[in-house]
């Protein structure tokens, strides 16, 4: 057997062992840890999780899960930085550029989310209308979902939307219509521009957008501080 090929096999086997963590709700082989993730990025650089702020410096971050201001009432991330897969961030760059021409910008509430955090959410609030089912995982776990809103660049204030972030209200629905006209207009503006660059809103949360092609990216359980 080729010596270099043997070394590669040993490396892959070690990586798989490092990632061998048992998960309660899902086949553990479907969740990728840091070692398997690095192997994938080496084979396909588009699978890299990149820091959004480095690609879009003007973007505003309000990462609720790095604070206690969230429905869990505790910090879920130890580091207030937002990451997503490279193609997702490049698409967001285009969104931000177009919004800027209208005097608007993006505020991000959440982006990549480790799978273990999704499990914590589900065990606290097992309503899969509002939290991801850990038997399937979340698009956030794939680095392909963004929670966001619009801001006025001059004032820095958020545009008036139907609810705040992470509301479990019916008003949070992406197509809920019993609302003031301005809230509907703001929500629809966000929906339109995000769709133009490959993002689709989910029906229960006006702020949550999945990137087209998310199924090509694996579920990850890598702590934010490890990136």
């Amino acid at each position: 057997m080729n010596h270099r090929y043997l070394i590669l096999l040993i490396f892959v086997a070690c990586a798989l062992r490092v990632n061998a963590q048992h998960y309660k709700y899902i086949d553990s082989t479907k969740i990728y840890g840091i070692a398997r993730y690095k192997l994938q990025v080496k084979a396909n650089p588009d699978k890299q999780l990149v820091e959004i702020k480095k690609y879009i410096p003007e973007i505003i971050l309000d990462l609720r899960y790095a604070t206690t201001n969230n429905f869990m009432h505790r910090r879920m991330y130890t580091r207030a930085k937002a990451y997503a897969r490279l193609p997702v961030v490049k698409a967001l760059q285009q969104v931000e550029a177009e919004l800027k021409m209208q005097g608007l910008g993006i505020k991000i509430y959440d982006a990549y989310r480790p799978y273990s955090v999704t499990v914590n959410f589900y065990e606290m609030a097992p309503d899969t209308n509002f939290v991801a089912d850990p038997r399937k995982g979340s698009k956030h776990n794939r680095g392909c979902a963004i929670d966001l809103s619009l801001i006025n660049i001059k004032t820095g204030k958020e545009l008036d939307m139907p609810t705040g972030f992470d509301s479990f209200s019916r008003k949070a629905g992406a197509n809920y219509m019993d609302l003031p006209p301005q809230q509907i207009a703001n929500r629809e503006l966000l929906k339109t521009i995000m769709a133009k660059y490959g993002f689709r809103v989910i029906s229960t949360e006006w702020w949550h957008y999945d990137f087209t092609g998310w199924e090509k990216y694996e579920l990850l359980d890598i702590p934010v501080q490890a990136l």
Side-chain angles (χ1 to χ4, degrees), residues 19 53 74-75 93 111-112 118 124 166-167 183 196 200 205 207 218:
N19 194 65
K53 192 82 171 170
R74 59 189 175 100
R75 290 181 68 197
Q93 281 181 317
Y112 163 68
T118 290
M124 170 66 80
D166 254 3
S167 168
Q183 291 181 357
K196 182 176 179 179
R200 298 291 179 270
E205 298 174 345
W207 59 82
E218 292 73 22

Side-chain angles (χ1 to χ4, degrees), residues 6-198:
L6 179 61
I7 292 174
L8 178 61
L9 283 178
I10 292 171
F11 179 73
V12 170
C14 289
L16 289 174
R17 275 199 298 272
V18 167
N19 194 65
Q21 180 175 338
H22 176 71
Y23 291 97
K24 180 178 178 181
Y25 297 102
I26 196 169
D27 179 352
S28 298
T29 63
K30 293 182 179 179
I31 308 296
Y32 282 51
I34 189 71
R36 291 171 75 193
Y37 160 73
K38 286 182 176 180
L39 285 174
Q40 287 205 318
V41 170
K42 196 170 185 180
N44 181 359
D46 274 352
K47 294 202 170 182
Q48 183 181 4
L49 287 169
V50 299
E51 188 179 345
I52 297 173
K53 192 82 171 170
K54 287 184 178 178
Y55 282 74
I56 317 172
E58 61 271 30
I59 212 160
I60 302 300
L61 300 181
D62 183 10
L63 301 177
R64 299 291 181 85
Y65 300 125
T67 73
T68 58
N69 182 20
N70 58 67
F71 79 96
M72 297 288 284
H73 304 294
R74 59 189 175 100
R75 290 181 68 197
M76 306 305 297
Y77 307 150
T78 59
R79 194 175 182 188
K81 292 187 176 183
Y83 294 82
R85 302 281 191 169
L86 182 58
V88 178
V89 178
K90 286 182 175 178
L92 272 182
Q93 281 181 317
Q94 294 178 287
V95 172
E96 179 78 8
E98 184 162 333
L99 285 170
K100 191 174 183 180
M101 293 189 291
Q102 301 179 49
L104 302 173
I106 293 171
K107 174 181 278 191
I108 290 181
Y109 301 118
D110 198 22
Y112 163 68
R113 179 187 305 158
Y115 174 79
S116 57
V117 174
T118 290
V119 171
N120 288 335
F121 286 176
Y122 178 79
E123 292 182 344
M124 170 66 80
D127 182 346
T128 55
N129 286 313
F130 295 99
V131 298
D133 185 343
R135 287 172 282 267
K136 299 176 182 177
S138 167
K139 313 302 186 300
H140 282 290
N141 307 150
R142 298 175 188 271
C144 293
I146 306 290
D147 293 340
L148 77 169
S149 189
L150 297 175
I151 62 163
N152 180 300
I153 292 175
K154 283 187 179 179
T155 66
K157 292 183 178 179
E158 295 177 37
L159 270 59
D160 191 19
M161 290 294 187
T163 69
F165 170 65
D166 254 3
S167 168
F168 284 26
S169 164
R170 288 175 59 212
K171 291 182 179 181
N175 299 303
Y176 186 84
M177 297 304 292
D178 187 15
L179 298 165
Q182 191 59 58
Q183 291 181 357
I184 294 173
N186 292 339
R187 184 189 67 194
E188 294 306 302
L189 171 61
L190 177 60
K191 197 186 298 183
T192 298
I193 196 165
M194 291 295 283
K196 182 176 179 179
Y197 295 104

